[in-house]
Amino acid sequence: MMPHSKKRPRIVAAMSGGVDSSVTAALLQRAGYEVVGITMQLYSGTQQRKGACCAGQDIYDAKRVADKLGIAHYVLDYEERFKKAVIDDFADTYARGETPIPCVRCNERVKFADLMVSARDLGADALATGHYVQRIDGPDGPEMHRAVDDSRDQSYFLFSTTRQQLDFLRFPLGGMTKTKVREIAGELGLANAEKPDSQDICFVAGDYSDVVRRLRPEAGEPGEIVDLEGRVLGRHSGVMHFTIGQRKGLGLSGNEEPLFVVTIDAAARRVVVGPRSALAAHEFTLQDLNWLADPAEAANCSVKVRSTRAPVPARVTPLAGGGAVVALLTPEEAVAPGQACVFYKESRVLGGGWITKP
């Protein structure tokens, strides 16, 4: 046991109301830390919708878990910050003809920025979250690694975490499976042990296009669908309805082979389609890179261009100004601007950046 004369280390646990963050708080308490729970109220429009997070019922669930554990719990209003940093960016990205990843922006601009400041204000020695990713102390400082449970790994969504932030962060679930986490929740008698996981776009109650149309109506203006030679094949009801690689919803028929969205020219309100072969990308550029390792290690690494895809061999060459060129050893289909490209060396996350338009 820890001597009574020594103050227990204090850790702030980000509690969304879900089972993962609840077990995170419980494990830290079991390990002897002084745990303080913080729940972020991010929006108020869809409190009762199943699959949402950080609003209404979820705040109540987080409070119930904190009471069960006997730890302090605070609810912080980040609604205005979340709207500007995540929801507005989501709409802006679609309006540019790109494909957003709001979860990355939320981690980058809210959870690991504003929440970290709040944790420090509370005198915390660390901030812990329920993400499935591993933080491993290496010879040059803390490293980020993929989760043990590959089906739950969230490292792709955390690539923009800085080294300074990683030094302050803890991820107790990175070495566990989801099944084990639910077992622990059940053993502890937590009310949310069987609660379903939240969906990716937590602030979208229905069709995402409703959010985009309300905030950026120009993304819903009609335009032309053209082939690779510029011939008009049809009309569309707004670039926000399309992403690179999309086949359904084009309203085109009678072609010799299936057509896919190849590029989106938002300024001209034009969607360009072509055969599947036109989706293959051998090389593309990135901007706004974040490095968690020596960039030289990415000269021979693996990269993910979508969260649901497996890493593929590649060479990453940094450019002046914070960008990079990624050369794929085997081509990938539908490399979409607005998505992230994350670099790996075996299980370690080396860094990543945002895919730009060709």
Side-chain angles (χ1 to χ4, degrees):
M1 291 181 62
M2 196 173 298
H4 292 294
S5 59
K6 185 176 180 180
K7 182 181 178 182
R8 290 188 299 159
R10 175 179 292 176
I11 294 186
V12 163
M15 300 181 69
S16 66
V19 64
D20 294 327
S21 59
S22 298
V23 170
T24 293
L27 291 175
L28 292 170
Q29 185 191 50
R30 181 186 292 178
Y33 294 101
E34 178 191 356
V35 182
V36 178
I38 288 184
T39 300
M40 301 177 294
Q41 179 173 318
L42 300 182
Y43 52 90
S44 56
T46 56
Q47 293 98 319
Q48 303 305 316
R49 181 175 59 83
K50 291 184 178 181
C53 73
C54 304
Q57 180 64 42
D58 299 282
I59 294 175
Y60 174 69
D61 289 343
K63 177 62 176 174
R64 283 201 300 170
V65 170
D67 289 344
K68 173 77 174 180
L69 299 176
I71 63 174
H73 178 253
Y74 301 95
V75 178
L76 303 182
D77 184 359
Y78 286 171
E79 190 166 344
E80 185 61 30
R81 173 62 173 163
F82 183 73
K83 180 185 181 301
K84 292 179 179 178
V86 181
I87 300 179
D88 285 353
D89 177 82
F90 176 82
D92 288 338
T93 304
Y94 269 116
R96 292 194 301 268
E98 301 176 359
T99 306
I101 320 176
C103 289
V104 174
R105 292 305 192 192
C106 183
N107 292 327
E108 175 186 53
R109 299 175 176 178
V110 182
K111 290 180 181 176
F112 294 167
D114 296 325
L115 185 56
M116 191 167 289
V117 171
S118 297
R120 293 186 187 278
D121 288 344
L122 287 169
D125 298 289
L127 169 66
T129 76
H131 288 102
Y132 286 84
V133 65
Q134 296 188 87
R135 177 193 181 278
I136 297 175
D137 289 324
D140 298 318
E143 302 173 352
M144 182 182 292
H145 288 253
R146 295 169 60 89
V148 169
D149 186 346
D150 192 60
S151 67
R152 303 297 305 181
D153 176 60
Q154 293 174 293
S155 60
Y156 179 88
F157 299 102
L158 299 179
F159 84 90
S160 61
T161 304
T162 67
R163 294 189 188 190
Q164 184 180 17
Q165 291 170 340
L166 189 59
D167 188 55
F168 192 66
L169 287 164
R170 301 294 184 271
F171 307 105
L173 306 188
M176 305 172 66
T177 65
K178 183 73 175 199
T179 300
K180 182 61 178 178
V181 169
R182 290 200 183 276
E183 285 179 2
I184 293 174
E187 292 168 1
L188 293 171
L190 301 184
N192 58 1
E194 298 301 325
K195 185 175 181 178
D197 293 333
S198 60
Q199 67 179 44
D200 286 342
I201 308 178
C202 60
F203 55 87
V204 175
D207 192 326
Y208 75 88
S209 62
D210 294 336
V211 176
V212 180
R213 185 181 294 105
R214 174 168 47 84
L215 296 174
R216 302 293 181 267
E218 65 273 17
E221 294 177 358
E224 297 175 340
I225 300 177
V226 303
D227 64 14
L228 295 173
E229 284 71 44
R231 292 187 291 264
V232 178
L233 303 180
R235 301 278 296 176
H236 66 77
S237 58
V239 295
M240 64 183 179
H241 297 292
F242 302 94
T243 186
I244 305 301
Q246 181 175 330
R247 178 183 174 186
K248 295 181 178 179
L250 297 178
L252 304 176
S253 60
N255 302 288
E256 293 184 2
E257 58 182 319
L259 296 176
F260 300 81
V261 175
V262 177
T263 59
I264 301 171
D265 184 348
R269 303 197 300 275
R270 182 175 295 127
V271 175
V272 181
V273 299
R276 185 165 190 166
S277 59
L279 293 174
H282 296 266
E283 186 175 284
F284 54 91
T285 59
L286 305 177
Q287 63 184 4
D288 300 329
L289 265 69
N290 178 62
W291 290 103
L292 290 171
D294 185 340
E297 294 192 51
N300 180 21
C301 67
S302 297
V303 303
K304 289 183 70 170
V305 297
R306 293 277 181 128
S307 63
T308 55
R309 295 188 188 178
V312 296
R315 292 189 297 272
V316 179
T317 304
L319 299 173
V325 173
V326 178
L328 300 171
L329 274 61
T330 56
E332 281 278 274
E333 289 187 347
V335 176
Q339 293 281 290
C341 176
V342 182
F343 322 142
Y344 296 88
K345 179 76 74 171
E346 297 179 346
S347 70
R348 186 180 180 185
V349 180
L350 304 179
W354 297 94
I355 300 169
T356 63
K357 289 187 176 182

